[in-house]
Amino acid sequence: MTAHAACAAELTSFLRSSPTAFHAAAAAAALLAEQGFVRLDEQAAWGRLPAGKYFVLRNESSLIGFTWSGGGAFRMIGAHTDSPGLKLKPKPLRREQGCLQLAVEIYGGALLRPWFDRELSVAGRVAWQDKNGGLRSALLDFQRPVAVIPSLAIHLNREANKQQEINAQTDMAPLIGLATETAADFQELLREELRRCCPDAEPAGIIDHELFLYDPAPPALTGLKSEFITGPHLDNLVSCFAAAQALRSADSSLNCLIVLNDHEEVGSVSAAGAQGPFLRDVLERLLPEAEARQAALRGSFFISADNAHAVHPNFAAKHDALHLPQLGKGPVIKFNANQRYATTAASAARFRQLCAEAGVPAQDFVSRSDMGCGSTIGPLTAAGIGVDTVDVGIPSLAMHSVRETAASVDCWHFCRALSRFFSPGQSDTLWQKK
């Protein structure tokens, strides 16, 4: 198997095990633990950590992993574990016209139309009380189709193939069964799943849940020569995977760090999000003396890794004509005059040189001047800790759909570029800061 093919196989395995941000953080933690990274407890005193490899989880959905040499500047990569989708409401069961349905709310800027007529499963986190009255949590994954959102037949809506508004309250409730007297209670279904996922659990009852619908169909290599990878959550789990793989092979003499934040798709304002204190808290523990920490951060560099918009062959006019990132042509450097991306000339030049060292092509993206632009954790992190930052990502299509598309070679390119970042290289001396 070639290195490219092996990377694609490992990525698809990571995607399959990560239906929610909770599962993605757990999967990344497992990758690091396999390589000897030691888990730290935020509730314990760390003291002066010896040189080594560590990781810490917050909210079970965000992760920071790092190699630590004892002081000095950091090489950092940031990504996010969450994706837009459908989240179950606290009281999700509803009965309509003889059918049992789930009440959902929209998480983030989801592309809704592709969710229709697709087999869906449920995964997430539950809080439960054990037989001794203690509160515990566990990750659940039904791992099988349990729901569907049927479209209205075209016979009843002749305008269906024209642009139609989707009402998030009334149109998006999936069917999970027939509302008969024997319909299973949802709490009992959760208890059954908890017993399946945690055989030793003896829950007295599920107290609360954070559950999401997702497409259980596995990611697939598509195309005449398997050029494309299609699947859920490519935005932004490809970046999470590439960052974790880079850290696994990082040079132990360097301070290398990855931060995988939750809640990017809803604004990042949370204890585990990029506007929260997670990264700052960890850095303050590692470098408690303020002046030394500031000096280290001014010598540090942060790669904000988040998918970019590839030019769609059917909709090329949606792009700036001079900036057309293509599938298969390498990572994309993202620019925005209004600081929706944190890229500067200095940070872009450093990433270009990094790609050159890794033998990886690089592309540019800027939005059309008459269209809005998304954002990333890059500007938030740059503003929060004062670190030089570049915004980059693999080019992809159908961003925020239930299934997205990217070129498998770009995933390989990105892994190589990020791994090179966590190794000593000539690019370290190319830009002398003043």
Side-chain angles (χ1 to χ4, degrees):
M1 181 182 292
T2 66
H4 174 193
C7 178
E10 291 170 0
L11 172 59
T12 55
S13 176
F14 181 81
L15 293 171
R16 292 188 69 173
S17 63
S18 304
T20 71
F22 303 109
H23 292 83
L31 288 177
L32 297 182
E34 287 175 2
Q35 292 299 115
F37 283 74
V38 176
R39 181 173 180 177
L40 298 172
D41 183 356
E42 282 201 279
Q43 297 186 49
W46 294 0
R48 197 168 181 83
L49 284 179
K53 304 187 291 186
Y54 305 93
F55 72 93
V56 59
L57 290 163
R58 180 175 286 192
N59 189 49
E60 297 183 279
S61 61
S62 293
L63 174 144
I64 291 177
F66 56 94
T67 57
W68 176 238
S69 66
F74 284 88
R75 301 168 187 232
M76 295 184 277
I77 301 170
H80 64 88
T81 55
D82 62 322
S83 298
L86 308 182
K87 184 180 181 182
L88 273 60
K89 292 184 176 181
K91 296 179 180 178
L93 284 185
R94 51 185 273 184
R95 289 171 169 81
E96 293 287 344
Q97 304 302 320
C99 292
L100 195 64
Q101 294 180 286
L102 292 174
V104 300
E105 55 182 331
I106 311 303
Y107 178 89
L111 188 63
L112 296 180
R113 185 66 63 187
W115 285 84
F116 287 87
D117 306 315
R118 185 182 298 273
E119 294 82 8
L120 301 171
S121 190
V122 175
R125 177 172 68 171
V126 295
W128 55 282
Q129 188 177 46
D130 64 25
K131 61 182 180 181
N132 297 318
L135 290 178
R136 301 174 63 181
S137 69
L139 303 189
L140 298 187
D141 182 1
F142 280 56
Q143 296 183 336
R144 67 185 191 279
V146 296
V148 64
I149 308 173
S151 294
L152 182 63
I154 195 167
H155 312 76
L156 304 178
N157 180 16
R158 293 294 182 180
E159 303 299 308
N161 289 329
K162 298 180 180 179
Q163 200 166 30
Q164 295 281 305
E165 182 179 353
I166 298 174
N167 186 295
Q169 175 69 19
T170 60
D171 298 346
M172 297 302 298
L175 308 183
I176 61 167
L178 298 176
T180 64
E181 293 182 1
T182 58
D185 178 77
F186 189 67
Q187 289 289 97
E188 181 55 35
L189 287 177
L190 293 184
R191 285 191 285 269
E192 289 178 7
E193 287 302 313
L194 181 60
R195 286 189 286 267
R196 186 180 67 81
C197 296
C198 307
D200 297 332
E202 297 182 20
I206 305 292
I207 307 300
D208 276 295
H209 57 78
E210 294 172 89
L211 297 171
F212 296 81
L213 291 165
Y214 76 96
D215 181 358
L221 293 176
T222 309
L224 295 179
K225 297 183 179 180
S226 299
E227 299 101 319
F228 308 117
I229 180 168
T230 59
H233 310 142
L234 300 190
D235 174 29
N236 188 30
L237 294 190
V238 171
S239 298
C240 291
F241 170 78
Q245 292 289 47
L247 188 61
R248 278 160 54 96
S249 59
D251 189 306
S252 60
S253 68
L254 303 173
N255 290 332
C256 300
L257 180 148
I258 66 171
V259 52
L260 311 181
N261 287 118
D262 194 4
H263 302 138
E264 189 273 347
E265 298 292 359
V266 291
S268 295
V269 183
S270 71
Q275 287 204 67
F278 189 24
L279 178 56
R280 186 170 63 250
D281 288 348
V282 170
L283 292 173
E284 288 177 357
R285 285 191 173 203
L286 295 177
L287 295 168
E289 204 280 313
E291 187 170 1
R293 183 171 63 256
Q294 289 305 313
L297 285 172
R298 291 310 305 141
S300 298
F301 191 67
F302 187 87
I303 295 178
S304 170
D306 201 348
N307 286 18
H309 294 292
V311 59
H312 196 304
N314 298 342
F315 303 96
K318 294 293 185 180
H319 280 255
D320 183 271
L322 299 178
H323 303 85
L324 300 170
Q326 295 182 3
L327 295 175
K329 298 296 181 65
V332 178
I333 305 172
K334 300 189 279 188
F335 297 85
N336 181 258
N338 296 305
Q339 287 296 295
R340 300 293 287 170
Y341 303 129
T343 306
T344 65
S347 63
R350 183 164 181 177
F351 187 77
R352 288 188 209 281
Q353 181 60 25
L354 181 70
C355 288
E357 290 179 6
V360 168
Q363 309 183 78
D364 296 339
F365 171 80
V366 64
S367 293
R368 284 177 55 107
S369 300
D370 55 359
M371 293 181 65
C373 176
S375 191
T376 69
I377 68 170
L380 302 176
T381 304
I385 63 173
V387 62
D388 289 351
T389 300
V390 64
D391 267 294
V392 301
I394 66 162
S396 61
L397 298 173
M399 192 181 293
H400 289 193
S401 176
V402 68
R403 290 181 77 85
E404 299 162 321
T405 298
S408 59
V409 70
D410 285 328
C411 303
W412 167 230
H413 285 324
F414 206 36
C415 286
R416 291 167 61 197
L418 297 187
S419 294
R420 188 73 187 105
F421 180 51
F422 282 167
S423 305
Q426 182 184 2
S427 60
D428 299 336
T429 59
L430 284 181
W431 190 268
Q432 299 298 325
K433 297 179 182 176
K434 302 294 185 183

